[in-house]
Amino acid sequence: MGIAVIPKGGHVLDKFESPASELPAVEFVDVSKSFGALRVIDNLSLRIRRSERVSLIGPSGSGKTTILRLLMTLEKPSEGTIKVFGGALSAGGRGLRESEVAPLRAKIGMVFQQFNLFPHMTALANVMEAPVQVLRMPKPDAKALAESLLERVGLKEKGASYPSELSGGQQQRVAIARALAMKPQIMLFDEITSALDPEVIGEVLDVVHSLAHETKMAMLVVTHEMGFARDIADRVIFMEKGRIVEEGNPAKLFASPDNIRTKAFLNAVKR
Amino acid sequence: MEGKGANDMTFSLQTMLDVLPALLRGTVVTLQATAAGILLALALGLFLAIARRGSNRAIVVVIDLFVTVIRSTPLLIQLYLLFYVLPLYGPSLSPLVTGVLGLGVHYSSYLSEVFRAGIDAVPKGQWEASVALQMPRAKTWCRIILPQAFRIVLPQIGNYMISMYKHASLLATITVVELLGAALNYAGETFRYLEVLTLVGVIYFIIGYVFSRIIKYIELKLAY
Ligand SMILES: Nc1ncnc2c1ncn2[C@@H]1O[C@H](COP(=O)(O)OP(=O)(O)OP(=O)(O)O)[C@@H](O)[C@H]1O
Ligand SMILES: [Mg+2]
């Protein structure tokens, strides 16, 4: 009597919930997206682990870009929920509060096919912009950060150049540095070499490969370069008509796909 | 013989020298009215252009109606309304302030369309990159979209500025002694219309020319 009873095994977490460190970086739960009558993403579920590198391949119009845009909150799902590190980033139907979404979105960065650099700013200013304006980083610190990032993508000497003075490959590398400046934990790459001349594709892919080696970011890579899709990824997802058709180990999927449609697609791109 | 007489038909340089101080004072008023009118037109035009982009249908309809009505009625009538009718119902403003208001509101209707086109001409990817960099909406407007839109429409804004500068001569009709008003006052007394109006034309030309060169220069400076 009089002795406090200590509860056995004090459960903090619900038994269905995994501890925070195991929460997937990205989770799509039954996500659909329609543009008018066109169902572009069809009841798709997907998990990406922390630090996992995933390539997304599939025919034109299969919804690859839409998946990235949903994740970047550039589109809103028609149905389903998208979670980032366990928090609801966006959901069909109900609106989420910006104050709750913003910290989740801040974990995501994106590099676009068309670079989308700010043309009225130098390369250095492009990289400094978000740290200064969004994170309120002091200018000298942001400048040092931007310079080190430009060096990292091999453009140490180009800080003072405007985008119009840079080649496509250089512009895309600035865009990568710019995205890195916000220290994302999830990086989205949408066909980042499709707008480039063949001779500069390599320099951009090299940068992405080095990021894969040197950082722990999760990466979701949409590409038509099958060699790159295979080499960069821990897992390849083949999708068609807004659904995942097949996914798996890159070597396995490219060498001997199980699904006949995957096979047909890979044959078609090999030509 | 330096004559001020109405019968003296020879072109008199002396008359031009005599009237010059009054014309220069008028020029200052013209420039003041133009500068203030432009600032008002830019601010109001930009406000209309941005407000119109919202999702509120009612606001869009009201703005479109306002722009259409202002654009399709003469500035002169708008000035008369402001000058003669507004004081009956509202505040009584000085002629110059009334004129600035008229010029600014009139030109805001044109500039709102110019800004709208300029904002639309900024590629969608600029908005998307801003989202991807976590930039809040207001920052995106101020730092990314408007600087680019402004460069796109600068030549048109320049044209409207020059047009407004010439249009400011209408302020003479609501008793503002700007450049033309000063000239008409003097010529009315002396009947030296030829010299006075020639000089007015020369002054308008010189300032208008300098104006357009400055705008060209700014365009070049801002090109990227
Ligand atoms: N804003 C939009 N409005 C209407 N339809 C759209 C919109 N965005 C995408 N779509 C359509 O959605 C489908 C999937 O587009 P998405 O860009 O995701 O394909 P993708 O797999 O990236 O193709 P690609 O390999 O050609 O880039 C396409 O049919 C496209 O036309
Ligand atoms: Mg795409």
Side-chain angles (χ1 to χ4, degrees), chain A residues 37 55 78 87 97 110 125 131 150 157 202 237:
Chain A
S55 297
S78 310
R97 237 177 295 145
M110 183 162 178
L150 285 178
E157 316 298 330
I237 297 176

Side-chain angles (χ1 to χ4, degrees), chain A:
Chain A
M1 288 272 291
I3 298 172
V5 179
I6 300 165
K8 273 188 186 170
H11 281 290
V12 178
L13 294 163
D14 188 279
K15 64 175 172 175
F16 296 112
E17 210 175 306
S18 29
S21 61
E22 285 171 23
L23 285 171
V26 173
E27 188 170 12
F28 279 51
V29 185
D30 301 328
V31 172
S32 296
K33 175 67 182 176
S34 302
F35 293 107
L38 184 66
R39 203 168 171 86
V40 173
I41 299 298
D42 190 7
N43 204 31
L44 181 142
S45 292
L46 166 70
R47 278 170 171 236
I48 297 173
R49 296 189 311 275
R50 285 154 194 262
S51 303
E52 190 181 17
R53 281 67 198 258
V54 176
S55 297
L56 205 48
I57 60 171
S60 182
S62 56
K64 306 180 298 291
T65 295
T66 303
I67 286 184
L68 299 195
R69 293 175 57 83
L70 283 165
L71 202 41
M72 196 67 258
T73 68
L74 297 172
E75 305 283 358
K76 200 176 170 310
S78 310
E79 290 156 37
T81 308
I82 300 172
K83 293 184 191 170
V84 169
F85 296 105
L89 176 78
S90 66
R94 71 204 159 96
L96 297 172
R97 237 177 295 145
E98 174 63 16
S99 60
E100 286 166 16
V101 169
L104 298 172
R105 191 201 291 120
K107 298 182 188 303
I108 310 174
M110 183 162 178
V111 183
F112 299 86
Q113 183 174 348
Q114 299 297 338
F115 329 138
N116 296 346
L117 289 181
F118 303 134
H120 56 304
M121 298 179 187
T122 63
L124 195 71
N126 263 275
V127 183
M128 288 172 63
E129 180 67 9
V132 172
Q133 297 297 329
V134 181
L135 307 179
R136 305 194 175 283
M137 190 183 283
K139 282 230 170 96
D141 297 4
K143 185 157 183 275
L145 172 68
E147 279 167 347
S148 77
L149 286 171
L150 285 178
E151 181 168 4
R152 180 167 196 174
V153 299
L155 292 172
K156 196 179 168 197
E157 316 298 330
K158 294 293 185 183
S161 302
Y162 282 87
S164 60
E165 298 163 345
L166 298 173
S167 74
Q170 291 170 331
Q171 288 186 60
Q172 193 59 296
R173 285 185 282 151
V174 174
I176 292 171
R178 183 177 68 169
L180 289 174
M182 293 301 277
K183 302 195 165 50
Q185 297 176 45
I186 304 164
M187 266 285 243
L188 313 177
F189 297 93
D190 189 13
E191 294 195 32
I192 58 170
T193 59
S194 292
L196 298 179
D197 294 333
E199 65 269 23
V200 299
I201 288 176
E203 70 194 36
V204 173
L205 296 186
D206 287 348
V207 167
V208 180
H209 273 297
S210 77
L211 289 179
H213 280 117
E214 295 159 18
T215 74
K216 294 191 146 194
M217 294 185 296
M219 294 183 179
L220 185 49
V221 180
V222 171
T223 181
H224 284 152
E225 304 270 329
M226 290 304 137
F228 178 55
R230 186 188 54 223
D231 297 343
I232 197 77
D234 304 319
R235 173 164 54 127
V236 180
I237 297 176
F238 170 69
M239 61 183 294
E240 204 179 56
K241 298 192 179 120
R243 296 183 189 184
I244 294 175
V245 173
E246 180 171 358
E247 60 182 305
N249 172 283
K252 158 80 174 69
L253 188 139
F254 279 102
S256 57
D258 293 330
N259 191 294
I260 186 162
R261 302 214 301 278
T262 316
K263 215 171 282 180
F265 172 76
L266 290 175
N267 280 333
V269 292
K270 256 182 266 168
R271 224 156 301 151

